[in-house]
mmCIF file of all heavy atoms in Angstrom:
data_model
loop_
_atom_site.group_PDB
_atom_site.id
_atom_site.type_symbol
_atom_site.label_atom_id
_atom_site.label_comp_id
_atom_site.label_asym_id
_atom_site.label_seq_id
_atom_site.Cartn_x
_atom_site.Cartn_y
_atom_site.Cartn_z
ATOM 1 N N CYS C 1152 -3.624 15.287 -17.667
ATOM 2 C CA CYS C 1152 -4.816 15.284 -18.478
ATOM 3 C C CYS C 1152 -4.853 16.646 -19.302
ATOM 4 O O CYS C 1152 -5.335 16.585 -20.480
ATOM 5 C CB CYS C 1152 -6.074 15.218 -17.591
ATOM 6 S SG CYS C 1152 -6.351 13.538 -16.903
ATOM 7 N N GLU C 1153 -4.430 17.713 -18.729
ATOM 8 C CA GLU C 1153 -4.437 18.983 -19.418
ATOM 9 C C GLU C 1153 -3.510 18.880 -20.688
ATOM 10 O O GLU C 1153 -3.909 19.287 -21.780
ATOM 11 C CB GLU C 1153 -3.975 20.103 -18.500
ATOM 12 C CG GLU C 1153 -3.871 21.403 -19.137
ATOM 13 C CD GLU C 1153 -3.429 22.499 -18.166
ATOM 14 O OE1 GLU C 1153 -3.698 22.328 -16.934
ATOM 15 O OE2 GLU C 1153 -2.737 23.425 -18.592
ATOM 16 N N HIS C 1154 -2.331 18.203 -20.485
ATOM 17 C CA HIS C 1154 -1.379 18.078 -21.605
ATOM 18 C C HIS C 1154 -1.915 17.124 -22.651
ATOM 19 O O HIS C 1154 -1.694 17.362 -23.859
ATOM 20 C CB HIS C 1154 -0.062 17.628 -21.046
ATOM 21 C CG HIS C 1154 0.780 18.701 -20.565
ATOM 22 N ND1 HIS C 1154 2.004 19.177 -21.215
ATOM 23 C CD2 HIS C 1154 0.677 19.520 -19.439
ATOM 24 C CE1 HIS C 1154 2.452 20.184 -20.502
ATOM 25 N NE2 HIS C 1154 1.747 20.369 -19.441
ATOM 26 N N ILE C 1155 -2.600 16.053 -22.196
ATOM 27 C CA ILE C 1155 -3.102 15.039 -23.126
ATOM 28 C C ILE C 1155 -4.393 15.578 -23.782
ATOM 29 O O ILE C 1155 -4.781 15.106 -24.788
ATOM 30 C CB ILE C 1155 -3.388 13.715 -22.445
ATOM 31 C CG1 ILE C 1155 -2.007 13.167 -21.946
ATOM 32 C CG2 ILE C 1155 -4.026 12.688 -23.310
ATOM 33 C CD1 ILE C 1155 -2.170 11.996 -20.936
ATOM 34 N N LYS C 1156 -4.980 16.608 -23.168
ATOM 35 C CA LYS C 1156 -6.268 17.145 -23.656
ATOM 36 C C LYS C 1156 -7.370 16.176 -23.611
ATOM 37 O O LYS C 1156 -8.159 15.849 -24.478
ATOM 38 C CB LYS C 1156 -6.106 17.687 -25.110
ATOM 39 C CG LYS C 1156 -5.174 18.871 -25.231
ATOM 40 C CD LYS C 1156 -5.137 19.360 -26.643
ATOM 41 C CE LYS C 1156 -4.325 20.738 -26.772
ATOM 42 N NZ LYS C 1156 -3.005 20.668 -26.133
ATOM 43 N N CYS C 1157 -7.491 15.619 -22.331
ATOM 44 C CA CYS C 1157 -8.617 14.787 -22.045
ATOM 45 C C CYS C 1157 -9.142 15.052 -20.655
ATOM 46 O O CYS C 1157 -8.435 15.606 -19.804
ATOM 47 C CB CYS C 1157 -8.188 13.254 -22.138
ATOM 48 S SG CYS C 1157 -7.167 12.670 -20.799
ATOM 49 N N ALA C 1158 -10.397 14.643 -20.387
ATOM 50 C CA ALA C 1158 -10.975 14.790 -19.066
ATOM 51 C C ALA C 1158 -10.449 13.734 -18.189
ATOM 52 O O ALA C 1158 -10.144 12.664 -18.652
ATOM 53 C CB ALA C 1158 -12.549 14.756 -19.146
ATOM 54 N N PRO C 1159 -10.297 14.057 -16.862
ATOM 55 C CA PRO C 1159 -9.874 12.977 -15.911
ATOM 56 C C PRO C 1159 -10.739 11.665 -16.031
ATOM 57 O O PRO C 1159 -10.147 10.578 -15.936
ATOM 58 C CB PRO C 1159 -10.043 13.593 -14.603
ATOM 59 C CG PRO C 1159 -9.840 15.048 -14.829
ATOM 60 C CD PRO C 1159 -10.469 15.337 -16.118
ATOM 61 N N VAL C 1160 -11.981 11.801 -16.257
ATOM 62 C CA VAL C 1160 -12.886 10.646 -16.331
ATOM 63 C C VAL C 1160 -12.506 9.758 -17.507
ATOM 64 O O VAL C 1160 -12.904 8.600 -17.566
ATOM 65 C CB VAL C 1160 -14.331 11.041 -16.306
ATOM 66 C CG1 VAL C 1160 -14.753 11.639 -17.718
ATOM 67 C CG2 VAL C 1160 -15.247 9.889 -15.972
ATOM 68 N N ASP C 1161 -11.808 10.331 -18.454
ATOM 69 C CA ASP C 1161 -11.458 9.544 -19.722
ATOM 70 C C ASP C 1161 -10.059 9.024 -19.655
ATOM 71 O O ASP C 1161 -9.489 8.490 -20.673
ATOM 72 C CB ASP C 1161 -11.596 10.412 -20.936
ATOM 73 C CG ASP C 1161 -12.992 10.986 -21.150
ATOM 74 O OD1 ASP C 1161 -13.930 10.192 -20.780
ATOM 75 O OD2 ASP C 1161 -13.205 12.005 -21.688
ATOM 76 N N ALA C 1162 -9.466 9.040 -18.487
ATOM 77 C CA ALA C 1162 -8.097 8.413 -18.220
ATOM 78 C C ALA C 1162 -8.212 7.522 -17.066
ATOM 79 O O ALA C 1162 -9.197 7.551 -16.248
ATOM 80 C CB ALA C 1162 -7.071 9.495 -18.010
ATOM 81 N N ILE C 1163 -7.234 6.621 -16.886
ATOM 82 C CA ILE C 1163 -7.183 5.705 -15.737
ATOM 83 C C ILE C 1163 -5.723 5.910 -15.085
ATOM 84 O O ILE C 1163 -4.765 5.941 -15.809
ATOM 85 C CB ILE C 1163 -7.320 4.268 -16.212
ATOM 86 C CG1 ILE C 1163 -8.722 4.033 -16.770
ATOM 87 C CG2 ILE C 1163 -7.148 3.347 -14.998
ATOM 88 C CD1 ILE C 1163 -8.950 2.662 -17.417
ATOM 89 N N TYR C 1164 -5.727 5.954 -13.780
ATOM 90 C CA TYR C 1164 -4.487 5.936 -13.125
ATOM 91 C C TYR C 1164 -4.193 4.574 -12.461
ATOM 92 O O TYR C 1164 -5.026 4.003 -11.788
ATOM 93 C CB TYR C 1164 -4.427 7.054 -12.012
ATOM 94 C CG TYR C 1164 -2.950 7.271 -11.408
ATOM 95 C CD1 TYR C 1164 -1.908 7.392 -12.365
ATOM 96 C CD2 TYR C 1164 -2.786 7.270 -10.126
ATOM 97 C CE1 TYR C 1164 -0.607 7.557 -11.837
ATOM 98 C CE2 TYR C 1164 -1.463 7.504 -9.591
ATOM 99 C CZ TYR C 1164 -0.395 7.591 -10.475
ATOM 100 O OH TYR C 1164 0.857 7.775 -10.024
ATOM 101 N N ILE C 1165 -2.982 4.120 -12.649
ATOM 102 C CA ILE C 1165 -2.585 2.775 -12.198
ATOM 103 C C ILE C 1165 -1.468 2.874 -11.185
ATOM 104 O O ILE C 1165 -0.441 3.568 -11.500
ATOM 105 C CB ILE C 1165 -2.121 1.910 -13.388
ATOM 106 C CG1 ILE C 1165 -3.290 1.830 -14.427
ATOM 107 C CG2 ILE C 1165 -1.808 0.495 -12.966
ATOM 108 C CD1 ILE C 1165 -2.830 1.206 -15.708
ATOM 109 N N GLY C 1166 -1.596 2.251 -9.969
ATOM 110 C CA GLY C 1166 -0.549 2.369 -8.947
ATOM 111 C C GLY C 1166 -0.526 1.236 -7.984
ATOM 112 O O GLY C 1166 -1.513 0.401 -7.878
ATOM 113 N N ASP C 1167 0.595 1.117 -7.289
ATOM 114 C CA ASP C 1167 0.797 0.019 -6.351
ATOM 115 C C ASP C 1167 0.829 0.524 -4.903
ATOM 116 O O ASP C 1167 1.237 -0.273 -4.039
ATOM 117 C CB ASP C 1167 2.101 -0.637 -6.629
ATOM 118 C CG ASP C 1167 3.371 0.081 -6.151
ATOM 119 O OD1 ASP C 1167 3.428 1.356 -6.510
ATOM 120 O OD2 ASP C 1167 4.204 -0.513 -5.539
ATOM 121 N N HIS C 1168 0.346 1.741 -4.712
ATOM 122 C CA HIS C 1168 0.296 2.279 -3.266
ATOM 123 C C HIS C 1168 -1.011 3.006 -3.051
ATOM 124 O O HIS C 1168 -1.645 3.517 -3.943
ATOM 125 C CB HIS C 1168 1.469 3.287 -3.093
ATOM 126 C CG HIS C 1168 1.775 3.580 -1.750
ATOM 127 N ND1 HIS C 1168 1.047 4.460 -0.924
ATOM 128 C CD2 HIS C 1168 2.765 3.204 -0.869
ATOM 129 C CE1 HIS C 1168 1.549 4.598 0.268
ATOM 130 N NE2 HIS C 1168 2.672 3.800 0.349
ATOM 131 N N GLN C 1169 -1.405 2.948 -1.845
ATOM 132 C CA GLN C 1169 -2.747 3.583 -1.481
ATOM 133 C C GLN C 1169 -2.799 5.011 -1.858
ATOM 134 O O GLN C 1169 -3.834 5.590 -2.273
ATOM 135 C CB GLN C 1169 -2.985 3.409 -0.005
ATOM 136 C CG GLN C 1169 -4.482 3.860 0.452
ATOM 137 C CD GLN C 1169 -4.797 3.403 1.805
ATOM 138 O OE1 GLN C 1169 -3.980 2.876 2.572
ATOM 139 N NE2 GLN C 1169 -6.030 3.630 2.163
ATOM 140 N N ARG C 1170 -1.637 5.691 -1.764
ATOM 141 C CA ARG C 1170 -1.692 7.199 -2.157
ATOM 142 C C ARG C 1170 -1.949 7.360 -3.596
ATOM 143 O O ARG C 1170 -2.492 8.430 -4.016
ATOM 144 C CB ARG C 1170 -0.299 7.877 -1.769
ATOM 145 C CG ARG C 1170 0.908 7.409 -2.519
ATOM 146 C CD ARG C 1170 2.110 8.225 -2.311
ATOM 147 N NE ARG C 1170 3.289 7.525 -2.836
ATOM 148 C CZ ARG C 1170 4.035 6.732 -2.132
ATOM 149 N NH1 ARG C 1170 3.870 6.560 -0.819
ATOM 150 N NH2 ARG C 1170 5.057 6.114 -2.716
ATOM 151 N N ASP C 1171 -1.575 6.392 -4.508
ATOM 152 C CA ASP C 1171 -1.816 6.438 -5.869
ATOM 153 C C ASP C 1171 -3.354 6.427 -6.087
ATOM 154 O O ASP C 1171 -3.911 7.188 -6.921
ATOM 155 C CB ASP C 1171 -1.194 5.314 -6.625
ATOM 156 C CG ASP C 1171 0.348 5.310 -6.546
ATOM 157 O OD1 ASP C 1171 0.925 6.338 -6.523
ATOM 158 O OD2 ASP C 1171 0.889 4.136 -6.465
ATOM 159 N N ILE C 1172 -3.986 5.546 -5.458
ATOM 160 C CA ILE C 1172 -5.491 5.385 -5.583
ATOM 161 C C ILE C 1172 -6.194 6.633 -5.062
ATOM 162 O O ILE C 1172 -7.134 7.080 -5.646
ATOM 163 C CB ILE C 1172 -5.963 4.136 -4.893
ATOM 164 C CG1 ILE C 1172 -5.152 2.912 -5.438
ATOM 165 C CG2 ILE C 1172 -7.395 3.889 -5.106
ATOM 166 C CD1 ILE C 1172 -5.104 2.804 -6.918
ATOM 167 N N GLU C 1173 -5.668 7.173 -3.914
ATOM 168 C CA GLU C 1173 -6.255 8.348 -3.323
ATOM 169 C C GLU C 1173 -6.078 9.491 -4.318
ATOM 170 O O GLU C 1173 -7.024 10.313 -4.557
ATOM 171 C CB GLU C 1173 -5.679 8.681 -2.002
ATOM 172 C CG GLU C 1173 -6.238 9.918 -1.322
ATOM 173 C CD GLU C 1173 -5.516 10.245 -0.018
ATOM 174 O OE1 GLU C 1173 -4.729 9.437 0.430
ATOM 175 O OE2 GLU C 1173 -5.860 11.336 0.525
ATOM 176 N N CYS C 1174 -4.912 9.613 -4.964
ATOM 177 C CA CYS C 1174 -4.609 10.677 -5.826
ATOM 178 C C CYS C 1174 -5.598 10.561 -7.097
ATOM 179 O O CYS C 1174 -6.111 11.570 -7.517
ATOM 180 C CB CYS C 1174 -3.161 10.462 -6.388
ATOM 181 S SG CYS C 1174 -2.635 11.743 -7.533
ATOM 182 N N GLY C 1175 -5.749 9.420 -7.596
ATOM 183 C CA GLY C 1175 -6.650 9.206 -8.766
ATOM 184 C C GLY C 1175 -8.162 9.600 -8.340
ATOM 185 O O GLY C 1175 -8.825 10.244 -9.153
ATOM 186 N N ARG C 1176 -8.492 9.221 -7.241
ATOM 187 C CA ARG C 1176 -9.896 9.469 -6.730
ATOM 188 C C ARG C 1176 -10.083 10.994 -6.636
ATOM 189 O O ARG C 1176 -11.121 11.546 -7.063
ATOM 190 C CB ARG C 1176 -10.086 8.780 -5.397
ATOM 191 C CG ARG C 1176 -11.594 8.894 -4.935
ATOM 192 C CD ARG C 1176 -11.752 8.226 -3.582
ATOM 193 N NE ARG C 1176 -11.315 6.814 -3.586
ATOM 194 C CZ ARG C 1176 -10.293 6.404 -2.859
ATOM 195 N NH1 ARG C 1176 -9.617 7.208 -2.073
ATOM 196 N NH2 ARG C 1176 -9.993 5.073 -2.915
ATOM 197 N N LEU C 1177 -9.079 11.671 -6.009
ATOM 198 C CA LEU C 1177 -9.083 13.108 -5.922
ATOM 199 C C LEU C 1177 -9.171 13.867 -7.268
ATOM 200 O O LEU C 1177 -9.733 14.906 -7.350
ATOM 201 C CB LEU C 1177 -8.014 13.673 -5.053
ATOM 202 C CG LEU C 1177 -7.965 13.286 -3.573
ATOM 203 C CD1 LEU C 1177 -6.732 13.643 -2.839
ATOM 204 C CD2 LEU C 1177 -9.128 13.967 -2.843
ATOM 205 N N ALA C 1178 -8.551 13.215 -8.258
ATOM 206 C CA ALA C 1178 -8.621 13.847 -9.551
ATOM 207 C C ALA C 1178 -9.875 13.532 -10.346
ATOM 208 O O ALA C 1178 -10.078 14.087 -11.460
ATOM 209 C CB ALA C 1178 -7.327 13.314 -10.316
ATOM 210 N N GLY C 1179 -10.749 12.656 -9.767
ATOM 211 C CA GLY C 1179 -11.913 12.302 -10.524
ATOM 212 C C GLY C 1179 -11.663 11.295 -11.598
ATOM 213 O O GLY C 1179 -12.421 11.222 -12.548
ATOM 214 N N MET C 1180 -10.756 10.395 -11.377
ATOM 215 C CA MET C 1180 -10.285 9.498 -12.420
ATOM 216 C C MET C 1180 -10.443 8.051 -11.903
ATOM 217 O O MET C 1180 -10.234 7.729 -10.775
ATOM 218 C CB MET C 1180 -8.718 9.751 -12.545
ATOM 219 C CG MET C 1180 -8.095 9.030 -13.732
ATOM 220 S SD MET C 1180 -6.300 9.567 -13.864
ATOM 221 C CE MET C 1180 -6.502 11.273 -14.325
ATOM 222 N N PRO C 1181 -10.861 7.106 -12.842
ATOM 223 C CA PRO C 1181 -10.873 5.766 -12.458
ATOM 224 C C PRO C 1181 -9.489 5.236 -12.087
ATOM 225 O O PRO C 1181 -8.507 5.768 -12.657
ATOM 226 C CB PRO C 1181 -11.354 5.033 -13.712
ATOM 227 C CG PRO C 1181 -12.053 6.100 -14.536
ATOM 228 C CD PRO C 1181 -11.343 7.351 -14.199
ATOM 229 N N THR C 1182 -9.421 4.198 -11.246
ATOM 230 C CA THR C 1182 -8.117 3.775 -10.807
ATOM 231 C C THR C 1182 -7.965 2.232 -10.908
ATOM 232 O O THR C 1182 -9.000 1.565 -10.774
ATOM 233 C CB THR C 1182 -7.844 4.176 -9.328
ATOM 234 O OG1 THR C 1182 -8.937 3.751 -8.549
ATOM 235 C CG2 THR C 1182 -7.765 5.682 -9.174
ATOM 236 N N ILE C 1183 -6.740 1.732 -11.014
ATOM 237 C CA ILE C 1183 -6.501 0.343 -10.947
ATOM 238 C C ILE C 1183 -5.327 0.139 -9.950
ATOM 239 O O ILE C 1183 -4.254 0.721 -10.069
ATOM 240 C CB ILE C 1183 -6.000 -0.217 -12.346
ATOM 241 C CG1 ILE C 1183 -7.072 -0.067 -13.304
ATOM 242 C CG2 ILE C 1183 -5.621 -1.711 -12.148
ATOM 243 C CD1 ILE C 1183 -6.710 -0.522 -14.773
ATOM 244 N N ALA C 1184 -5.591 -0.574 -8.896
ATOM 245 C CA ALA C 1184 -4.565 -0.960 -7.905
ATOM 246 C C ALA C 1184 -3.921 -2.257 -8.216
ATOM 247 O O ALA C 1184 -4.697 -3.216 -8.558
ATOM 248 C CB ALA C 1184 -5.229 -1.021 -6.526
ATOM 249 N N VAL C 1185 -2.622 -2.262 -8.266
ATOM 250 C CA VAL C 1185 -1.911 -3.472 -8.661
ATOM 251 C C VAL C 1185 -1.226 -4.077 -7.435
ATOM 252 O O VAL C 1185 -0.755 -3.421 -6.600
ATOM 253 C CB VAL C 1185 -0.848 -3.165 -9.791
ATOM 254 C CG1 VAL C 1185 -1.560 -2.479 -10.994
ATOM 255 C CG2 VAL C 1185 0.318 -2.265 -9.226
ATOM 256 N N GLY C 1186 -1.291 -5.500 -7.506
ATOM 257 C CA GLY C 1186 -0.726 -6.218 -6.365
ATOM 258 C C GLY C 1186 0.605 -6.806 -6.741
ATOM 259 O O GLY C 1186 1.186 -7.496 -5.896
ATOM 260 N N TYR C 1187 1.154 -6.610 -7.919
ATOM 261 C CA TYR C 1187 2.423 -7.191 -8.282
ATOM 262 C C TYR C 1187 3.626 -6.332 -7.960
ATOM 263 O O TYR C 1187 4.723 -6.765 -8.152
ATOM 264 C CB TYR C 1187 2.463 -7.479 -9.767
ATOM 265 C CG TYR C 1187 2.163 -6.271 -10.707
ATOM 266 C CD1 TYR C 1187 3.219 -5.336 -10.951
ATOM 267 C CD2 TYR C 1187 0.994 -6.062 -11.332
ATOM 268 C CE1 TYR C 1187 3.070 -4.180 -11.707
ATOM 269 C CE2 TYR C 1187 0.748 -4.927 -12.117
ATOM 270 C CZ TYR C 1187 1.786 -4.107 -12.323
ATOM 271 O OH TYR C 1187 1.603 -2.948 -13.127
ATOM 272 N N GLY C 1188 3.371 -5.129 -7.393
ATOM 273 C CA GLY C 1188 4.475 -4.229 -7.111
ATOM 274 C C GLY C 1188 5.098 -4.444 -5.780
ATOM 275 O O GLY C 1188 5.503 -5.539 -5.370
ATOM 276 N N PHE C 1189 5.143 -3.324 -4.968
ATOM 277 C CA PHE C 1189 5.830 -3.325 -3.698
ATOM 278 C C PHE C 1189 4.927 -3.142 -2.468
ATOM 279 O O PHE C 1189 5.140 -2.511 -1.557
ATOM 280 C CB PHE C 1189 6.821 -2.164 -3.687
ATOM 281 C CG PHE C 1189 7.831 -2.195 -4.813
ATOM 282 C CD1 PHE C 1189 8.237 -1.042 -5.423
ATOM 283 C CD2 PHE C 1189 8.278 -3.404 -5.408
ATOM 284 C CE1 PHE C 1189 9.111 -1.074 -6.453
ATOM 285 C CE2 PHE C 1189 9.190 -3.386 -6.404
ATOM 286 C CZ PHE C 1189 9.644 -2.176 -7.035
ATOM 287 N N THR C 1190 3.770 -3.898 -2.573
ATOM 288 C CA THR C 1190 2.756 -3.886 -1.482
ATOM 289 C C THR C 1190 3.352 -4.616 -0.240
ATOM 290 O O THR C 1190 4.216 -5.527 -0.423
ATOM 291 C CB THR C 1190 1.478 -4.500 -1.948
ATOM 292 O OG1 THR C 1190 1.638 -5.779 -2.475
ATOM 293 C CG2 THR C 1190 0.735 -3.571 -2.927
ATOM 294 N N GLN C 1191 2.771 -4.332 0.876
ATOM 295 C CA GLN C 1191 3.248 -4.980 2.197
ATOM 296 C C GLN C 1191 2.622 -6.416 2.277
ATOM 297 O O GLN C 1191 3.269 -7.228 2.961
ATOM 298 C CB GLN C 1191 2.733 -4.114 3.307
ATOM 299 C CG GLN C 1191 3.356 -2.699 3.315
ATOM 300 C CD GLN C 1191 4.740 -2.592 3.806
ATOM 301 O OE1 GLN C 1191 5.199 -3.341 4.667
ATOM 302 N NE2 GLN C 1191 5.534 -1.764 3.184
ATOM 303 N N SER C 1192 1.474 -6.640 1.596
ATOM 304 C CA SER C 1192 0.838 -7.972 1.742
ATOM 305 C C SER C 1192 0.229 -8.287 0.403
ATOM 306 O O SER C 1192 -0.033 -7.431 -0.447
ATOM 307 C CB SER C 1192 -0.161 -8.048 2.891
ATOM 308 O OG SER C 1192 -1.231 -7.146 2.623
ATOM 309 N N ALA C 1193 -0.115 -9.550 0.214
ATOM 310 C CA ALA C 1193 -0.597 -9.979 -1.072
ATOM 311 C C ALA C 1193 -1.953 -9.429 -1.484
ATOM 312 O O ALA C 1193 -2.204 -9.234 -2.705
ATOM 313 C CB ALA C 1193 -0.713 -11.583 -1.016
ATOM 314 N N ASP C 1194 -2.742 -9.148 -0.513
ATOM 315 C CA ASP C 1194 -4.142 -8.604 -0.865
ATOM 316 C C ASP C 1194 -4.308 -7.143 -0.385
ATOM 317 O O ASP C 1194 -5.438 -6.626 -0.503
ATOM 318 C CB ASP C 1194 -5.184 -9.460 -0.191
ATOM 319 C CG ASP C 1194 -5.110 -9.428 1.342
ATOM 320 O OD1 ASP C 1194 -4.078 -8.881 1.899
ATOM 321 O OD2 ASP C 1194 -6.025 -9.866 1.918
ATOM 322 N N GLU C 1195 -3.238 -6.464 -0.073
ATOM 323 C CA GLU C 1195 -3.361 -5.100 0.404
ATOM 324 C C GLU C 1195 -4.046 -4.201 -0.659
ATOM 325 O O GLU C 1195 -4.797 -3.326 -0.319
ATOM 326 C CB GLU C 1195 -1.988 -4.531 0.771
ATOM 327 C CG GLU C 1195 -1.956 -3.105 1.158
ATOM 328 C CD GLU C 1195 -0.539 -2.620 1.345
ATOM 329 O OE1 GLU C 1195 0.397 -3.360 1.206
ATOM 330 O OE2 GLU C 1195 -0.382 -1.444 1.718
ATOM 331 N N HIS C 1196 -3.698 -4.409 -1.893
ATOM 332 C CA HIS C 1196 -4.197 -3.488 -2.993
ATOM 333 C C HIS C 1196 -5.694 -3.612 -3.187
ATOM 334 O O HIS C 1196 -6.352 -2.756 -3.727
ATOM 335 C CB HIS C 1196 -3.473 -3.829 -4.244
ATOM 336 C CG HIS C 1196 -3.695 -5.218 -4.804
ATOM 337 N ND1 HIS C 1196 -3.358 -6.285 -4.131
ATOM 338 C CD2 HIS C 1196 -4.270 -5.566 -5.937
ATOM 339 C CE1 HIS C 1196 -3.666 -7.407 -4.855
ATOM 340 N NE2 HIS C 1196 -4.238 -6.988 -5.951
#
C-alpha cells in the first residue's frame, strides 16, 4: 500500500489460505477468500 500510495482500506487482498485472510485483516484491508485454489475442502474458504 505504501508503494501504491493508497490506504489499506482502499485495497483488497485475495487469497486461498486462512493466513491470507488473517494477514489482510491485520492490515486493515477488505479480503476475498477463494475456493478455487488449494483448499483442503470445498467450503473451507
Side-chain angles (χ1 to χ4, degrees):
C1152 289
E1153 181 180 327
H1154 278 252
I1155 295 168
K1156 293 181 169 54
C1157 73
V1160 72
D1161 297 328
I1163 299 174
Y1164 190 49
I1165 305 171
D1167 75 311
H1168 196 283
Q1169 188 169 6
R1170 67 171 167 267
D1171 299 324
I1172 305 310
E1173 182 181 352
C1174 181
R1176 189 183 304 116
L1177 290 171
M1180 190 176 292
T1182 55
I1183 298 177
V1185 305
Y1187 58 76
F1189 304 144
T1190 52
Q1191 301 282 323
S1192 63
D1194 65 347
E1195 179 186 358
H1196 64 298

